[in-house]
Amino acid sequence: MVNRRHIRVKVMQSIYAMHQSGSDNLEKEEKFLFYSIDNIQDLYLIMLSSLIEICKTETVFLHKSSLKHLATPEERNPNEKFIKNEIFQILSENNSLSIALENRKINNWSLNDDYILLLLSDIKASKIYADYMSNTVNKFEEDRQFIVDLFMEVIVPNEKLYEYLEDDKLTWVDDIPLVNTHIIKQLKTIKSGENDNFRVPKLYKDNEDKDFVKDLFRKTVLNEKELAKEYLDKTPNWDSDRIAEIDTIILKMAICEFLKFPSIPVKVTLNEYLEVAKEYSTPKSSIFINGILDNLVKELEKSKRIIKAGRGLM
């Protein structure tokens, strides 16, 4: 689930937090870095389980409404298309998801069911819901598209839900788009009657990615002074204290990859950090960083200080 770019972002944020707090406790900060990445799994489970809880809540509501003393004909015989949506059933009966929810002790919605009620209210007020409920027939393709649209257009944009997640864990702010994008991709690929084929994704693609977190963090932090020397004379029109701190961290991390990660191609490093700069720094930062790194790469290659080898270069 966590890709290399997101790993770079998390490492960058951890180094920035160290600078802001004045901390020099490498082990403590590294532990928090891994903790913040590990929590992405919880965010994924919370967002996905919201669909299950929405269905459960509506099922209970329809049942209670049918038992009212003065229930209307519609309440006694409701349109159950929504609660019989096959995607809801697949998710609620999926072993991989159930085990993950239990192992990670995800019970957010039982403790905060008011958010589920808010989401359900927004769902029922949406055109997506009205169009879907215009008949009583469940067809799988329509069921799946409805859940995808519901998640993308009603659940994800909900400001109250976003505020709740932000208040729960501040580190989730930048993880939410990553998690939601992954969930949407998964929802789109679910097939009818295949609840056991749905799998909760691994947090890291492989052990190399997990090692990359530790190596990038440690090698950048432990060599900050040396890495800074590589670019300081490349900024003649800038005093070092005038360069945005995020920019200096991005530069150090990129240079660290050039010099200390032989299996990562130079072009990959350049592209990744320019994208990070566009998203997390000032509007002109990517141009500034690109200029410095481009000149630095030429110099390092000329002096044969960049040595790249490995499967990524074949």
Side-chain angles (χ1 to χ4, degrees):
M1 187 195 309
V2 180
N3 55 43
R4 286 281 177 113
R5 181 176 299 172
H6 203 69
I7 288 172
R8 289 176 171 98
V9 168
K10 300 297 276 190
V11 170
M12 177 195 72
Q13 291 172 334
S14 292
I15 296 173
Y16 181 78
M18 281 186 76
H19 289 185
Q20 293 300 299
S21 65
S23 172
D24 60 358
N25 190 330
L26 188 67
E27 289 187 2
K28 177 186 173 185
E29 300 301 333
E30 182 182 273
K31 186 177 179 180
F32 184 78
L33 167 61
F34 276 104
Y35 171 77
S36 71
I37 295 175
D38 186 59
N39 277 326
I40 294 173
Q41 191 85 353
D42 289 352
L43 176 60
Y44 167 86
L45 293 169
I46 288 168
M47 290 300 295
L48 196 56
S49 65
S50 69
L51 292 170
I52 298 171
E53 294 303 318
I54 286 167
C55 182
K56 284 182 182 177
T57 301
E58 179 64 359
T59 301
V60 170
F61 171 76
L62 292 180
H63 178 66
K64 287 182 176 179
S65 297
S66 69
L67 297 177
K68 287 195 305 186
H69 179 61
L70 297 175
T72 65
E74 285 185 355
E75 288 173 328
R76 287 198 183 93
N77 187 32
N79 181 354
E80 296 185 337
K81 183 176 182 178
F82 179 77
I83 62 173
K84 287 184 176 178
N85 183 293
E86 192 175 341
I87 301 299
F88 284 145
Q89 310 310 315
I90 287 173
L91 294 177
S92 63
E93 296 170 9
N94 180 260
N95 287 331
S96 174
L97 183 53
S98 297
I99 291 168
L101 289 168
E102 186 175 343
N103 288 344
R104 303 287 297 191
K105 295 179 172 57
I106 303 299
N107 60 354
N108 296 60
W109 303 130
S110 61
L111 300 174
N112 301 279
D113 60 344
D114 49 326
Y115 287 97
I116 296 298
L117 292 171
L118 280 171
L119 289 172
L120 190 52
S121 176
D122 283 356
I123 288 167
K124 289 183 175 181
S126 69
K127 186 177 184 300
I128 296 169
Y129 179 83
D131 290 345
Y132 178 72
M133 297 295 285
S134 62
N135 62 67
T136 59
V137 180
N138 283 89
K139 295 180 181 178
F140 180 76
E141 295 295 334
E142 184 190 13
D143 281 359
R144 183 174 59 190
Q145 190 59 51
F146 169 69
I147 296 298
V148 170
D149 292 341
L150 198 68
F151 191 80
M152 289 175 62
E153 298 180 34
V154 180
I155 296 175
V156 168
N158 187 281
E159 291 184 8
K160 293 291 184 184
L161 176 62
Y162 183 87
E163 289 170 6
Y164 164 70
L165 295 172
E166 186 179 22
D167 288 343
D168 194 339
K169 286 187 176 64
L170 188 58
T171 58
W172 279 345
V173 171
D174 293 293
D175 303 329
I176 292 172
L178 175 84
V179 166
N180 288 338
T181 299
H182 192 89
I183 290 175
I184 290 165
K185 286 181 181 177
Q186 281 193 295
L187 291 173
K188 287 180 177 179
T189 59
I190 293 177
K191 295 180 180 178
S192 180
E194 295 188 358
N195 21 322
D196 284 339
N197 284 344
F198 182 89
R199 290 283 181 271
V200 172
K202 293 189 297 183
L203 185 57
Y204 298 98
K205 184 181 73 175
D206 50 36
N207 288 333
E208 285 185 17
D209 276 5
K210 188 171 184 179
D211 291 341
F212 180 62
V213 177
K214 182 176 182 176
D215 291 343
L216 182 60
F217 179 70
R218 283 188 169 243
K219 288 179 180 180
T220 303
V221 172
L222 293 173
N223 296 282
E224 283 202 76
K225 289 183 180 178
E226 290 75 13
L227 294 170
K229 291 176 183 177
E230 299 289 349
Y231 67 79
L232 286 178
D233 63 346
K234 307 292 184 300
T235 57
N237 298 322
W238 293 80
D239 294 328
S240 59
D241 58 355
R242 286 182 58 208
I243 303 174
E245 188 163 9
I246 286 290
D247 291 358
T248 67
I249 294 170
I250 290 172
L251 285 168
K252 290 170 189 172
M253 289 174 67
I255 296 166
C256 183
E257 283 192 29
F258 291 153
L259 299 174
K260 301 179 185 295
F261 289 81
S263 65
I264 301 177
V266 168
K267 189 174 181 181
V268 170
T269 296
L270 282 170
N271 290 341
E272 288 287 271
Y273 286 105
L274 290 180
E275 289 302 315
V276 171
K278 286 177 186 176
E279 188 169 352
Y280 290 94
S281 197
T282 61
K284 294 182 180 179
S285 288
S286 61
I287 299 172
F288 169 70
I289 289 171
N290 184 47
I292 293 175
L293 293 180
D294 191 49
N295 290 330
L296 183 59
V297 165
K298 292 174 184 175
E299 183 180 295
L300 292 173
E301 287 179 335
K302 186 176 180 180
S303 61
K304 296 185 172 16
R305 290 180 61 201
I306 290 183
I307 302 171
K308 297 291 183 178
R311 66 182 184 184
L313 305 173
M314 294 174 67

